Amino acid sequence: MAPIAGNGGAVMSDSALRRMALGVYALMVTMGIAGFFLKGGVTADDVFGIPFFAFATVGTIVAARHPRNPVGWIFIVVGLTPTTGFFTGAYAARSYETAGGLPAVTLIEWVSSWAWFPGIALLASFGLLLFPDGRLPSRRWKPVPYFAAILIGVVTLSMALLPGPMEPFDASLPSTVNPFGIETFGSVIESVEGIGFGLFPLMALVCVISLGFRFRGATTEQRQQIKWFAYSALVLLVAITFESLINDVVGEQIAQTLFFAGMVFPSVGAGIGILKYRLYDIDVVINRTLVYGALTAILAATYLAIVVVLQQALGSLTTDSDIAIAGSTLAVAALFRPLRSRIQAFIDHRFYRRKYDAAEMLRMFAGHLRDQVDLDSVNAHVISVVRDTVQPVHASLWLRPRNGS
């Protein structure tokens, strides 16, 4: 355990960093429980905090295992800042419900109006830029973190100093005047805030692109780490896309719950990638997702098409749709296995070419082995197949001699 000197010659060891991470996590949990207590219980809207709690939990685990990796600390801040906003919002709400009010409520409301932003901004910038090992993709990316830090600081400061009514974290609270707003430079601060929020998506896009550059020059292990994070981000994107589509079908509450469940995936995927837990399973997960996603879409379209066709064909004979539904179900059941095999073969051939070629080579080798009797030829063929499929640095075959020979 090598201590590292910080500013002013101060030394902080790995164990001290671990204790700090656990302390911050304990503070976050305490603020969350206190916020629920001030609100008088848990409401349906509180599901919004689950993804941020997941980020803080994963970040604490990463910081405990790899305290020098800044990604774990970024995840902790991602959970801490919205929790601070939640607590201060609950504190302000209880103050309005209390006859005498609670102390320093104006200051608390001020913190609530901007405390949620830094964590989300850090995740969209440094979280992407430094994943998974806490280092930049290359030296050419050095200007990006400086720009991101300045942008986050300017936007946060402008939110804190903008004069006029504040926007509290809890939208149900009444707006109050910012006690720290600077009226003299109000228009300038408002313009700076608008420009900052306009540049923020561009900065996030640049950081996403950095992951692509990192992937191109990464080792096999780092590519698996990035795949986990990219896959979990794709799950979130799908959840965002389908939330509005299924809202009218399953209800707003269920749709939002599924959406926030999807928001948990990036933290879990990033944690698996950084901790390298079941790292190489991601290829299997992606393969199965492609196969069963395509299979589900095709079978659903087939089912609906057959139902419509049968209802039109049988409409003159009967008004009962049970026959059409039963026929469609039987057709889909009959198509399931052959269609899955065809989709699996297509995906392996298109996206997993090495695996497909290896399987084909092993199949051909098995056929050759049945017809071959020359031991030297079999030996050479085995070595050739192993080199083409497994691609080892060195390959050799040792045959145990028969007893007495």
Side-chain angles (χ1 to χ4, degrees):
M1 180 177 66
I4 295 179
N7 295 331
V11 176
M12 182 167 286
S13 64
D14 286 358
S15 59
L17 288 173
R18 293 187 181 97
R19 288 194 296 269
M20 181 185 294
L22 293 174
V24 174
Y25 185 75
L27 174 63
M28 188 199 75
V29 173
T30 302
M31 284 197 300
I33 294 174
F36 289 130
F37 177 77
L38 290 170
K39 287 181 62 176
V42 181
T43 63
D45 293 335
D46 294 330
V47 71
F48 178 78
I50 294 177
F52 300 103
F53 180 78
F55 269 107
T57 302
V58 171
T60 303
I61 295 172
V62 171
R65 294 283 300 275
H66 306 286
R68 304 291 171 183
N69 190 335
V71 177
W73 294 96
I74 291 170
F75 282 10
I76 292 174
V77 176
V78 170
L80 179 63
T81 52
T83 303
T84 303
F86 169 73
F87 169 75
T88 53
Y91 184 94
R94 175 53 65 92
S95 179
Y96 284 112
E97 296 173 359
T98 306
L102 297 176
V105 64
T106 303
L107 177 63
I108 291 295
E109 282 188 285
W110 175 71
V111 174
S112 172
S113 67
W114 56 265
W116 58 272
F117 176 75
I120 298 175
L122 280 173
L123 177 63
S125 55
F126 287 89
L128 297 171
L129 197 62
L130 301 178
F131 182 86
D133 56 4
R135 299 182 180 89
L136 294 174
S138 67
R139 298 182 64 181
R140 291 179 298 177
W141 291 86
K142 272 190 174 182
V144 178
Y146 290 105
F147 173 76
I150 293 172
L151 183 62
I152 294 171
V154 168
V155 172
T156 304
L157 190 62
S158 63
M159 293 173 65
L161 300 179
L162 184 67
M166 297 183 295
E167 296 183 6
F169 185 80
D170 189 344
S172 63
L173 295 176
S175 296
T176 56
V177 177
N178 186 353
F180 300 100
I182 304 176
E183 293 288 346
T184 307
F185 302 101
S187 58
V188 176
I189 295 174
E190 186 176 3
S191 299
V192 169
E193 184 186 47
I195 294 173
F197 274 112
L199 291 174
F200 186 77
L202 178 62
M203 178 200 67
L205 178 60
V206 171
C207 295
V208 170
I209 293 173
S210 73
L211 270 179
F213 278 89
R214 185 190 295 273
F215 186 84
R216 287 178 58 186
T219 63
T220 302
E221 186 176 81
Q222 285 182 333
R223 288 192 173 197
Q224 297 301 110
Q225 292 176 298
I226 296 172
K227 281 182 183 180
W228 267 110
F229 188 59
Y231 176 80
S232 57
L234 181 62
V235 172
L236 172 59
L237 183 62
V238 171
I240 294 174
T241 303
F242 281 92
E243 181 198 9
S244 57
L245 298 178
I246 65 174
N247 190 39
D248 297 333
V249 178
V250 300
E252 181 178 359
Q253 199 63 49
I254 297 177
Q256 287 184 351
T257 302
L258 293 175
F259 167 69
F260 289 120
M263 288 187 67
V264 174
F265 271 83
S267 60
V268 175
I272 291 174
I274 296 173
L275 299 174
K276 303 177 184 178
Y277 173 73
R278 302 183 70 87
L279 188 61
Y280 288 86
D281 285 354
I282 184 59
D283 290 327
V284 177
V285 173
I286 294 174
N287 188 295
R288 294 294 181 267
T289 302
L290 291 172
V291 170
Y292 287 99
L295 181 64
T296 301
I298 294 174
L299 289 180
T302 303
Y303 177 83
L304 293 175
I306 295 176
V307 167
V308 171
V309 170
L310 288 179
Q311 284 182 339
Q312 292 293 330
L314 300 175
S316 58
L317 302 176
T318 178
T319 59
D320 192 359
S321 62
D322 290 343
I323 298 177
I325 294 174
S328 302
T329 303
L330 291 174
V332 167
L335 286 173
F336 180 83
R337 294 192 64 178
L339 188 59
R340 184 185 63 180
S341 300
R342 287 181 176 273
I343 293 174
Q344 182 73 67
F346 171 79
I347 289 177
D348 287 343
H349 184 269
R350 181 66 181 83
F351 299 104
Y352 296 86
R353 185 71 196 189
R354 180 176 295 180
K355 172 187 172 183
Y356 178 82
D357 291 342
E360 285 295 305
M361 185 165 293
L362 289 173
R363 183 182 62 80
M364 293 171 60
F365 172 69
H368 176 79
L369 193 61
R370 285 194 299 266
D371 302 328
Q372 188 57 256
V373 294
D374 183 23
L375 192 59
D376 293 334
S377 176
V378 171
N379 186 0
H381 202 174
V382 168
I383 295 297
S384 174
V385 169
V386 169
R387 283 175 176 166
D388 290 337
T389 55
V390 185
Q391 297 182 354
V393 177
H394 173 75
S396 60
L397 178 64
W398 176 78
L399 299 176
R400 187 177 63 179
R402 294 179 181 179
N403 294 333
S405 61

